[in-house]
Amino acid sequence: MNWTAIWSIYRFEMARFFRTLFQSFLSPVLSTSLYFVVFGAAIGSRIDQVDGIAYGAFIVPGLIMLSVMTQSISNASFGIYFPKFIGTIYELLSAPVNFLEIVLGYVGAAATKALFIGFVILATSTLFVDISIVHPFAMVLFLVLTCLSFALMGFIIGIWAKNFEQLQLVPLLIVTPLVFLGGSFYSISMLPPIWQKITMFNPVVYLISGFRWSFFGTSDVPVGTSLMAIGLFTALCLGVIWWIFKTGWRIRS
């Protein structure tokens, strides 16, 4: 394992993040504040509690998941797309590094950025509501796994994309709607029976449910099922990336 190469890629990507540190943290803080104003104040005044949890606190895990997923995808996709766009990816491919080392560098940096954002949103949430985390280690585990898995997905999108518009296509048209429909701001048990069954086909439900369990000890699906779902998703993304580097799809053309 070429740790020097991994560290070099990781450090380069993190340097780009710290150059825009103020904007990187300001945006999620403002977005979180707006969500609390709209959902916490407007809707929360009509919904007192959900599963025995104050509504303002109930939506915190969903807000964190929404930002973490989109940030992981956007950071990883842009990180690998830009070298492909300007042509420096060929220097990387000709260097003595394998695909796993390249992935670890880019995905590790993207996941780290998203993890920072997740903790910033958590800290911002404490300004609006009282939050107690029942299972802190499980919370960190779910957060790290989500950052890594969706950063892998973003890496795939960055290779697939042919222009900057396509980088935003999947996060805006697929991931964000799935998060909103995955129980971010409500409990699945509040839906009619037929929609409860349909919602179970949404993979994001399992991530949000497991993450919410780490906060409040309650979930819509078993925690083991949530861990299995995120593990399968991570393995699938790794398999796709391995195939991409093996075949050179969208890289060597």
Side-chain angles (χ1 to χ4, degrees):
M1 187 68 73
N2 190 341
W3 295 107
T4 302
I6 296 172
W7 174 245
S8 298
I9 297 172
Y10 179 88
R11 186 175 59 181
F12 177 81
E13 287 297 303
M14 291 303 298
R16 181 166 56 84
F17 172 71
F18 285 115
R19 283 196 297 269
T20 59
L21 188 63
F22 181 74
Q23 298 92 318
S24 300
F25 284 120
L26 181 63
S27 177
V29 169
L30 290 178
S31 299
T32 303
S33 301
L34 287 174
Y35 275 117
F36 273 108
V37 171
V38 175
F39 287 93
I43 299 178
S45 62
R46 293 168 173 80
I47 303 177
D48 185 27
Q49 291 185 341
V50 179
D51 294 337
I53 305 165
Y55 185 74
F58 182 84
I59 66 176
V60 170
L63 285 175
I64 296 175
M65 283 286 105
L66 174 62
S67 296
V68 161
M69 290 177 185
T70 54
Q71 287 291 326
S72 297
I73 292 175
S74 62
N75 286 323
S77 59
F78 183 82
I80 190 62
Y81 174 79
F82 194 70
K84 190 177 72 168
F85 176 73
I86 62 178
T88 56
I89 192 171
Y90 299 108
E91 300 176 2
L92 187 64
L93 294 174
S94 62
V97 292
N98 58 39
F99 90 95
L100 183 59
E101 293 160 353
I102 295 173
V103 171
L104 285 175
Y106 281 106
V107 170
T112 302
K113 299 172 192 177
L115 193 63
F116 282 160
I117 299 300
F119 283 116
V120 168
I121 294 175
L122 178 61
T124 304
S125 301
T126 60
L127 301 176
F128 295 89
V129 293
D130 294 327
I131 301 175
S132 59
I133 303 175
V134 178
H135 307 286
F137 293 107
M139 186 273 289
V140 174
L141 175 63
F142 271 105
L143 195 58
V144 170
L145 289 176
T146 302
C147 291
L148 287 174
S149 59
F150 278 83
L152 288 170
M153 180 181 178
F155 190 89
I156 296 171
I157 294 172
I159 294 176
W160 163 77
K162 292 183 177 180
N163 50 57
F164 286 99
E165 289 76 15
Q166 288 184 343
L167 289 178
Q168 300 298 323
L169 190 63
V170 174
L172 288 177
L173 297 183
I174 298 179
V175 176
T176 300
L178 287 178
V179 175
F180 276 100
L181 296 173
S184 301
F185 305 109
Y186 57 88
S187 173
I188 303 301
S189 60
M190 299 170 65
L191 299 174
I194 183 62
W195 285 107
Q196 291 184 30
K197 295 179 181 179
I198 294 174
T199 304
M200 288 299 121
F201 290 97
N202 182 351
V204 177
V205 168
Y206 302 93
L207 304 181
I208 294 177
S209 178
F211 192 56
R212 182 170 285 130
W213 171 85
S214 68
F215 276 78
F216 310 117
T218 179
S219 62
D220 293 313
V221 297
V223 179
T225 305
S226 299
L227 287 172
M228 183 175 65
I230 194 171
L232 289 174
F233 180 68
T234 303
L236 177 63
C237 290
L238 283 172
V240 172
I241 292 174
W242 172 82
W243 175 82
I244 288 174
F245 277 91
K246 182 181 180 181
T247 60
W249 180 74
R250 292 286 177 95
I251 294 179
R252 298 171 185 170
S253 59

